[in-house]
Amino acid sequence: MFARAKPITARIFGRTDLGKTRDHNEDNFLVADLTRKDSTPPAEERDYPLGERGLLLVVADGMGGAAAGELASEMATATIYRHLTDTWLTEPEATGQKFAFRLKEAVEIANREIHEYAKTHPENRGMGTTATAVGVLSAHLYVTQVGDSRAYLIRDRQAYQLTKDQSLMQRLVDAGEL
């Protein structure tokens, strides 16, 4: 007889920081329990029991100056969440393959919408954002990324870097090491 798997709980806390060189914060993040359609930002460290439809974690670091980066990062987090609630939650089967597809699709749609918005709003020319979106489903992590932000997993007080800095990646390609 097989032992029943222990339920998974993710302990999450999010905060953004202005940093040392900016006069305003262009960062946005989202933590969403997709099973319960709860995207209330955690004001303090919070446990998220993993439901059948998983968790969504997004960090977007805006760029472009003025309010443009802030707008782009806000658009990215909102679009990714909206797309997953509109599509993933209506999927008849909660498979990892479909979840990964919907997560990637959501980031691509957010990217396209931000580009289109910038084209039609010249005052926001040059706006953009990085986006790192992580989906947790069952015992699996699904990561998609645009830009040079990095994703880390912290387990038992140890940090594990999941993604590479793209500028480092480009340096390795340019040096013929990749």
Side-chain angles (χ1 to χ4, degrees):
M1 180 176 232
F2 293 104
R4 189 169 207 185
K6 181 179 174 185
I8 296 173
T9 299
R11 179 163 288 166
I12 300 170
F13 176 70
R15 175 176 38 196
T16 66
D17 184 74
L18 179 61
K20 296 178 182 179
T21 59
R22 300 254 183 227
D23 61 359
H24 66 282
N25 194 341
E26 296 183 344
D27 302 341
N28 267 285
F29 71 92
L30 174 90
V31 178
D33 178 336
L34 295 172
T35 304
R36 292 168 191 76
K37 290 177 78 171
D38 175 13
S39 63
T40 307
E44 56 189 34
E45 192 171 285
R46 178 175 154 192
D47 286 342
Y48 287 82
L50 190 60
E52 177 186 331
R53 292 296 169 148
L55 297 174
L56 171 65
L57 312 166
V58 181
V59 174
D61 182 3
M63 54 194 185
E70 185 176 332
L71 176 60
S73 65
E74 188 176 309
M75 287 175 68
T77 56
T79 301
I80 292 166
Y81 178 67
R82 183 184 68 244
H83 183 73
L84 282 173
T85 57
D86 289 350
T87 61
W88 169 241
L89 296 183
T90 62
E91 287 287 347
E93 292 182 66
T95 67
Q97 184 177 11
K98 275 289 189 189
F99 188 56
F101 173 79
R102 292 298 186 193
L103 182 62
K104 177 181 175 282
E105 182 181 57
V107 171
E108 290 170 345
I109 288 169
N111 186 51
R112 192 168 47 248
E113 286 184 11
I114 291 165
H115 280 286
E116 288 301 316
Y117 184 88
K119 274 192 218 176
T120 59
H121 294 83
E123 69 277 13
N124 292 324
R125 185 172 177 231
M127 73 184 274
T129 186
T130 67
T132 301
V134 176
V136 183
L137 183 68
S138 185
H140 301 280
L141 286 175
Y142 300 89
V143 181
T144 185
Q145 180 175 7
V146 176
D148 63 357
S149 296
R150 285 170 272 181
Y152 293 86
L153 170 68
I154 300 173
R155 180 175 282 158
D156 298 325
R157 304 181 72 76
Q158 177 71 36
Y160 302 92
Q161 186 174 338
L162 301 177
T163 59
K164 292 184 178 184
D165 180 338
Q166 285 188 333
S167 60
L168 170 61
M169 188 72 84
Q170 189 59 54
R171 287 195 307 267
L172 292 172
V173 168
D174 292 344
E177 295 181 33
L178 285 180

